[in-house]
Amino acid sequence: MNVTTWYLEQISPADLRPGRPPALPAQVVRAEVPTPEFSRFLYTAVGGDWQWTNRLPWTWKQWRDWLDRPGVETWVAWVRGTPAGYAELVAQDGGTVEIVNFGLLPYAIGQGLGGWLLGEAAARAWDLAERWPGREATRRVWVHTCSLDGPAALANYKARGFRLYDEKLNAPGDEDEGETPGPWPGAGPRD
């Protein structure tokens, strides 16, 4: 299967167009303690339908080493005490922040949370240096998504003010299309 990957960016905080607040009682909180177990849970729960498999072979130590670096942040959306989605931010050289992972748990899709969470995540990417002394102020926020991701992903990024700067078509086998850890058959509102 051919997979298209889109690369999008914001080059100014003024590019950000926040999503409308959700109707559900929700909040976004930074997970300040680098916890491999929680991060792996979020990765598999959100990415299970979308072929997120690259990190599945990681050991506990690999997760910990990834999360325990300055400028790596996990922001979690909560609905009535239950995780609904997350965004993982990674500060890079030159004042760049990548939204490495972003998405919602299956139950939260279609609840009006995606645009709001993405807007909150992008805002946190823009002010990331304020939480990490010595980091360069953010001058660029970028993200990539592909045709294996959720059908609303690309439109959501564009609606939040991200602009397309590159697009690549990968030949079969270039993307991991292996078995994912979940969700299991019958899980979530889509089944």
Side-chain angles (χ1 to χ4, degrees):
M1 163 195 311
N2 288 328
V3 177
T4 302
T5 302
W6 299 279
Y7 299 84
L8 302 102
E9 66 183 352
Q10 293 178 355
I11 56 172
S12 166
D15 291 341
L16 175 58
R17 293 192 303 265
R20 82 179 158 241
L24 299 170
Q27 61 183 17
V28 176
V29 178
R30 181 176 161 212
E32 294 188 48
V33 178
T35 311
E37 297 87 352
F38 186 51
S39 290
R40 190 176 196 282
F41 158 75
L42 292 169
Y43 180 83
T44 59
V46 168
D49 271 344
W50 315 117
Q51 302 297 320
W52 291 12
T53 59
N54 293 344
R55 293 187 188 180
L56 294 181
W58 283 13
T59 65
W60 184 93
K61 184 178 180 332
Q62 286 172 302
W63 277 97
R64 177 66 182 218
D65 290 347
W66 173 262
L67 297 167
D68 206 20
R69 298 175 298 142
V72 174
E73 297 183 345
T74 302
W75 290 87
V76 183
W78 297 88
V79 173
R80 297 191 313 263
T82 305
Y86 84 114
E88 184 180 79
L89 310 179
V90 176
Q92 300 171 336
D93 292 338
T96 296
V97 176
E98 180 182 3
I99 300 175
V100 175
N101 289 309
F102 171 82
L104 299 173
L105 275 76
Y107 88 89
I109 295 171
Q111 304 296 314
L113 295 165
W116 167 75
L117 176 56
L118 181 56
E120 292 292 314
R124 297 300 65 82
W126 281 109
D127 64 19
L128 185 139
E130 296 172 17
R131 293 179 298 281
W132 295 94
R135 293 251 23 126
E136 199 174 333
T138 303
R139 295 193 307 241
R140 176 177 178 253
V141 177
W142 74 281
V143 64
H144 75 275
T145 189
C146 73
S147 53
L148 294 175
D149 285 337
L154 183 59
N156 190 19
Y157 291 121
K158 288 180 176 181
R160 300 291 72 77
F162 285 89
R163 291 185 198 95
L164 187 68
Y165 72 89
D166 197 9
E167 180 177 325
K168 293 183 180 169
L169 181 63
N170 300 327
D174 287 351
E175 290 290 325
D176 191 346
E177 298 174 31
E179 290 295 314
T180 63
W184 53 91
R190 293 172 297 191
D191 290 332

